[in-house]
Amino acid sequence: GPRPLGPQAARLAKIVVLDAGETFQPFQSNLPVLLVTEDNPGLIQMYRILLGNFEGFEVVIVTNLTQARQVVRTTPKEKLFVVSDNDFPTGGETIHTTYAGQTFVKELREKGIYVMVSSGVLKAKIFPPGGDVQPDGFFQKPEGFRNLISSIIQRAEAIRSQLAKNKLIAEG
């Protein structure tokens, strides 16, 4: 019969994909939270498959800016990191840039939240050198996908060790 899940399996990344109208229910754990904005079903599936193999962080995938902002509002800043598509639906929100991703990256940088961008458009077109907003990382679709996944894992590790340090300081 099916084997009971060991403690190992229980820690694998929990991945939540929100439908367009759905509201985010904040995660209850103390793990890092990765927010992904992506509206391409094929890429959402790829994130699910590739990130499902890792452990120690939680993932929420949203398809529009309304949901993305909601996740940012309800997740402690020190736990959150983001991978943003460049061109995704606004969900009715107002943007002052060509793409939702540009607006969102600016908001995240102003809050000090780590954000990587994954885009089919060249970086210089969206974030010109010397421009006022630059993401923490940029990955060209589709060939940058593998590097993006390893950067996600590294970032989750960094946040996890920072959270552990903060906890020690708080308890000390």
Side-chain angles (χ1 to χ4, degrees):
R3 289 211 315 263
L5 294 173
Q8 205 53 21
R11 289 210 313 273
L12 288 180
K14 178 179 176 189
I15 303 177
V16 172
V17 182
L18 294 189
D19 290 330
E22 226 181 321
T23 305
F24 173 61
Q25 303 300 320
F27 294 115
Q28 297 307 312
S29 78
N30 293 317
L31 294 172
V33 174
L34 169 64
L35 163 62
V36 177
T37 66
E38 180 56 70
D39 61 329
N40 175 320
L43 285 173
I44 290 173
Q45 195 50 28
M46 227 160 119
Y47 277 115
R48 285 181 91 137
I49 292 164
L50 293 172
L51 294 175
N53 298 322
F54 297 99
E55 55 185 45
F57 61 103
E58 300 185 287
V59 185
V60 55
I61 302 177
V62 303
T63 57
N64 65 51
L65 186 58
T66 305
Q67 291 174 321
R69 284 176 168 161
Q70 192 217 337
V71 173
V72 173
R73 272 198 309 274
T74 56
T75 304
K77 200 170 79 170
E78 64 276 9
K79 281 170 47 170
L80 186 64
F81 66 120
V82 179
V83 171
S84 185
D85 186 9
N86 182 48
D87 191 7
F88 59 97
T90 61
E93 308 269 316
T94 312
I95 60 170
H96 306 288
T97 53
T98 313
Y99 300 109
Q102 290 167 304
T103 291
F104 192 43
V105 167
K106 187 175 191 328
E107 291 171 9
L108 293 167
R109 295 309 303 128
E110 282 165 0
K111 290 184 168 76
I113 294 168
Y114 191 95
V115 55
M116 300 180 271
V117 170
S118 155
S119 174
V121 182
L122 289 174
K123 182 181 181 196
K125 280 210 163 108
I126 322 166
F127 304 104
D132 59 340
V133 181
Q134 297 294 333
D136 294 289
F138 187 91
F139 301 88
Q140 197 71 41
K141 285 176 181 169
E143 63 274 15
F145 212 79
R146 180 168 298 181
N147 292 342
L148 171 61
I149 298 295
S150 58
S151 297
I152 286 171
I153 304 313
Q154 283 167 3
R155 192 71 211 161
E157 285 291 329
I159 292 176
R160 211 165 43 242
S161 59
Q162 188 57 54
L163 291 171
K165 271 200 203 95
N166 296 352
K167 192 166 180 281
L168 287 175
I169 293 164
E171 287 170 357

